[in-house]
Amino acid sequence: MSRFQVTFLPYNTSIEVAAGQSVIRAAMEAGVHINASCGGDGGCGKCRVMIEQGQVEGGISEHLSQEDRDKGYRLACQAHVNEAVTIRIPVESAIDTSALLRQSPRQTARIKQMDLDDIKEQGLFAPPMEKLYLELPPPSAGDNLPDISRLVNYLRIRHEERGLEISLPVIRKIPSVFREQDFKVTVTVARPVRPSGKNQIINVEPGDTTDSNYAVAMDIGTTTIYGQVVDLGTGEVLAEAGKFNGQISYGEDVISRIMFAEKPEGLETIHQVVIETVNQVLAKIIKQSKVARECISLLTLAGNTTMTQLLLKVEPRYIRRSPYVPASRIYPHIKACDLGIDLDDHVTALVYPQVSSYVGGDIVAGVMGSGMYRTEKMTLFLDIGTNAEVVIGNRDWMACAACSAGPAFEGGGIEFGMRAAKGAIEDFSIDPETLEPMIVTIGNVRPKGICGSGLITMVAILFEMGVINNQGKFDRDLGTDRIRKTKDIWEYVLAYKDETQIDRDIVINEIDIENLIRAKGAIYSGCMTLLAEVGMGPDDIEQIILAGGFGSYVDLEKAMVIGLLPEIDAGRVNYVGNASLLGARMSALTNRIREEVVGVTNMMTNFELSETPSYMDNYVAALFLPHTDVDRFPKVKTQMEARRQALVDLRLSASDSN
Amino acid sequence: MSRFQVTFLPYNTSIEVAAGQSVIRAAMEAGVHINASCGGDGGCGKCRVMIEQGQVEGGISEHLSQEDRDKGYRLACQAHVNEAVTIRIPVESAIDTSALLRQSPRQTARIKQMDLDDIKEQGLFAPPMEKLYLELPPPSAGDNLPDISRLVNYLRIRHEERGLEISLPVIRKIPSVFREQDFKVTVTVARPVRPSGKNQIINVEPGDTTDSNYAVAMDIGTTTIYGQVVDLGTGEVLAEAGKFNGQISYGEDVISRIMFAEKPEGLETIHQVVIETVNQVLAKIIKQSKVARECISLLTLAGNTTMTQLLLKVEPRYIRRSPYVPASRIYPHIKACDLGIDLDDHVTALVYPQVSSYVGGDIVAGVMGSGMYRTEKMTLFLDIGTNAEVVIGNRDWMACAACSAGPAFEGGGIEFGMRAAKGAIEDFSIDPETLEPMIVTIGNVRPKGICGSGLITMVAILFEMGVINNQGKFDRDLGTDRIRKTKDIWEYVLAYKDETQIDRDIVINEIDIENLIRAKGAIYSGCMTLLAEVGMGPDDIEQIILAGGFGSYVDLEKAMVIGLLPEIDAGRVNYVGNASLLGARMSALTNRIREEVVGVTNMMTNFELSETPSYMDNYVAALFLPHTDVDRFPKVKTQMEARRQALVDLRLSASDSN
């Protein structure tokens, strides 16, 4: 895709964007503020900009008079970049606020996905299910061995296969399948992870079907269940889809699900519900991929400990009771159909092992899928979802812990919090002088609420601009109507009701900010406690791997400004997306990696933060922006000092000019 | 039990019998003829004998006048031995027929059952399922391993257990069972047959239940399903029962069952039916044994190839079609409940492997259970049931074959044939002069028909007494009403209708005899063909092991007289009864023997007699009494010559005296 340079005046800030990008998003990326309250749907008409060189596509609106249009004014949210352009932002004040603008463009984590070619080159591509086409000699009077003996002997002699096992359902199929195409058959062999293991013949089909061999990889999330259809011949993903976990109606988090499961018939009910969602996702991706259901021979699953136990219908009540004991670390191979999953009865389900009650198979999958278990680099792996889990270590050792971060990052406990869906404010900036906001929503529609990554940016910028202090309290003396007290709670108005979809003012208030601070404090202090337990400090971290729902949208600099992440060069942060799904897919593609899963799981030393005395001290110290001890964030500290001085100057000159 | 000597005059023949034995059975045993037609219920009053010394119990009947009673006359079938007695048989003719009496008392095979003590002494007592009582340390904040890890670690450290596997259903039970009696539990471990195999934890129970560990051994016969409850602690059988296989209503033999299974839904139906019988037998023996159903941890099964495939619902159609291919030799471990068997879901079913379409798991079980696979002695193993199977060999090699003997030995194709049940004529003798019969029935009731062992004795005696010739045809000139022609078929009347339960004359006719000759010819020629194939002859046989429904009742001498068995010292013939059930029980008691099952099965070389050219010649030669070549039966030949001379003398003097 072509990319074009956009230069913003009067700041003379340039950025390169992809063709078709809206001007307002280009500005946001560049750290250039343009007043905008309607989320990008052209409704407020505030984001007027003047095109000085080049042309943009669109941006003409009834909010602009013919005269303005002729002068080159356009609405930034409606205008799209299709060539190099120079754009002037009308500055309402003459004061130079450039010092207050972001120093660097928005930085998100580099997305690191699975590199199939690399896996193949390393000789790691070895799916657990292999299909072999065989032309067996038909029986005769002089050779009337049982069908199974015929098959096993042939495989032993012609294919040097050893340690073969065949289950009764496959034996039941064999007599008729063998005779359907005159003893020409395709067998599906489940390969063991260790050479000493058994090779199980899990299916037999007439004729040659070796080019139709598929797996389904699934992430059983507390909120969402994602699935992929994977071609075991090529390793490619043929389809992917997700659906909300139907268990949501029984509780948002794992604790409430466990509590439901403790009721009479509760476990059976909540187990059935998740299986139903699994089957819906399956139906969706199978349809999408156009693969025949009977050609799927493998299902790989990853989920947290509670989700795994509910999926497998294993009593979860001891997970939530001290001393927090899960049922099992490792689960055996299971027949997918035995769980009620709509797959043929030969399909094996492989379930990722768990470390502890709150560090589950999704995290193990992430550690495997992200390659953390193979790297020499000292790594901080952080999965922020409904809960947050931390893993520190590298290929030699690993320590892990779960943080009760609460649901703030997913919109829980935030008055206008919402999931990252259409209408969620995902990016934010503020005019340092007028304190007018610039908001951009997912889907460029009028705002409905604030998603996790938007919230982080918002709190960071409010803090950077001195609108809130390091305890998250608003400066009561800034002289703007946007900061106000409603029902005894101070708040900042992001969008007035006529600019929203919900006919109410959308605000961020001090309780929201406090909840975010608690959440980031829990995660940061979790990381610090864990580091301290293994005798290390934040400086020892060589890379961060971010996983989870919102990871790719988070502005890393902002995450460091609020003290969610330790300060590190943004280039050393990788985002792996849904690590659980990634790990599940990895399992479907390579026995070489599966082979190491149990070893890695056993290597992951679990720390119960609630049992670690220093955790509470670390937590309390982290309930500030960015932290009680700002020296832990030297870059933030330097920027903050520079900005604070600029703000003082700005506000002084503003009061002068009044 | 006390035994007493009974001496019969005028023959001066003595025999020792158990206290309570009836005089008529004692006479039968001793080879002394007493006319008797009512089967032993006292109805015909013919069996008058005089007690000369000592006293018998009972025997007084309305058929005897007071005068006779006073003289010491009693009815032999109603009189019982309770001390040493001398009994005179009233001889209707003065001619001395002693030369025509049997030389030796009735000889049945020695019953050889499993010797538990011997198994234990040899260190072979090692049931596949073992219970271990464990007192696990309960979890704490400092030790909150998953339940399964706690268990596995404890077993590894305290019990040196390795290679443990736990299935999902057991994992599901563990969290609550562990906490029921404060982490004091009993686990049931399924031991592998090879030390390198996996130890599977198949069950977990609260508290100490190590003294309640049971197995069920079952023989899935075409006609009857037998089961035993076995105590895995002691090896003792606690209960045993059998029931007719419900599949009988779909056909008497395996071929008709397969044909039914080929109909739409036929396999499902006939599978369900056998499972139903299995469940009925189970209910019966569990009730009998007073064992709690949930304390049964193992089910061992043996059956012929067709019965095994129907039990496991495996398509049997290719068993009955040339080239006679069964589905599998070996079947994996199966969960009993997966077959619909009413046992707890942790119960493993072990199924005996098959050799070929017509040498099945029942025969392998017999070879194992009888110890044939361990002996140095060259052995002929013969299982005569609905079909007949032959195994020749010893611990170094074995050859086997199935003979299509037909159902004559079970009463099929015999006009008054019946199974060995109450009212079946089981023993027979004939007065050499008057040709009047002496019959004894099972249960000492009026006769209803003839069972297999009775038929063999009958044909042998008719042949010995010159009533039939070596082709089984009656001597038409013997001048007795008992030999007659009805609807063009010659027959001998065993009992007139007023002496029977069925209000019809019970006869044995030439077609019956021909069917028996065909059946014995098939078996004998099967043995001979197999011997020839391995380069041996009947003289090489050092012992015979008889198995099957009627084996213990067969008079061995008579079986040799008709040429069913090769001539051998009767002391070298052992009867193991239901060898299939014996082998199933053996499997339940010792992994050491199970370990060798697959090797033994693979060692058993199968011969398809229908594909062996010499079989038909051997068969035709065997369609005589005892055989075309009487020199193969030297003892029979000598006796026959002596008897024939005696008969000629007898009949000459009889005609003289007339």
Side-chain angles (χ1 to χ4, degrees), chain B residues 201-220:
Chain B
I201 297 176
I202 60 159
N203 199 20
V204 56
E205 297 163 292
D208 185 353
T209 68
T210 46
D211 59 356
S212 301
N213 192 18
Y214 306 97
V216 167
M218 277 205 168
D219 159 43
I220 311 297

Side-chain angles (χ1 to χ4, degrees), chain A residues 226-346:
Chain A
Y226 291 99
Q228 291 178 331
V229 174
V230 181
D231 186 330
L232 294 182
T234 63
E236 300 295 340
V237 175
L238 303 183
E240 177 172 336
K243 268 187 103 69
F244 282 127
N245 186 335
Q247 292 179 336
I248 285 177
S249 37
Y250 300 90
E252 291 268 324
D253 55 21
V254 297
I255 298 299
S256 50
R257 307 269 173 93
I258 295 173
M259 286 168 71
F260 182 86
E262 290 177 21
K263 295 180 185 177
E265 302 303 316
L267 178 56
E268 179 63 37
T269 302
I270 208 164
H271 163 73
Q272 292 300 343
V273 165
V274 70
I275 294 297
E276 227 165 83
T277 306
V278 164
N279 285 335
Q280 287 162 357
V281 172
L282 261 178
K284 213 163 151 181
I285 56 178
I286 288 174
K287 194 174 170 193
Q288 221 181 87
S289 68
K290 299 192 177 73
V291 155
R293 198 178 279 258
E294 63 269 21
C295 297
I296 294 169
S297 53
L298 175 64
L299 173 64
T300 55
L301 299 159
N304 65 45
T305 307
T306 301
M307 285 305 108
T308 302
Q309 290 195 201
L310 295 180
L311 181 82
L312 302 181
K313 207 164 75 182
V314 175
E315 176 62 76
R317 69 176 68 218
Y318 307 104
I319 290 177
R320 77 172 184 99
R321 287 176 167 77
S322 172
Y324 315 114
V325 179
S328 192
R329 179 164 288 176
I330 298 160
Y331 288 94
H333 298 186
I334 303 156
K335 283 198 157 198
C337 65
D338 284 350
L339 294 174
I341 294 175
D342 287 344
L343 286 169
D344 266 26
D345 67 1
H346 68 273

Side-chain angles (χ1 to χ4, degrees), chain B residues 189 347 468 526 656:
Chain B
V189 185
V347 180
I468 57 175
D656 281 358

Side-chain angles (χ1 to χ4, degrees), chain B residues 48 58 240 307 314 441 479 532 638:
Chain B
R48 291 153 50 109
E240 177 173 337
M307 284 305 109
V314 175
T441 63
T638 311

Side-chain angles (χ1 to χ4, degrees), chain A residues 65 81 282 326 333 358 436 488 514 550 556:
Chain A
S65 65
V81 177
L282 261 178
H333 298 186
Y358 295 104
E436 283 302 296
D488 241 26
E514 196 178 310
F550 73 57
L556 295 176

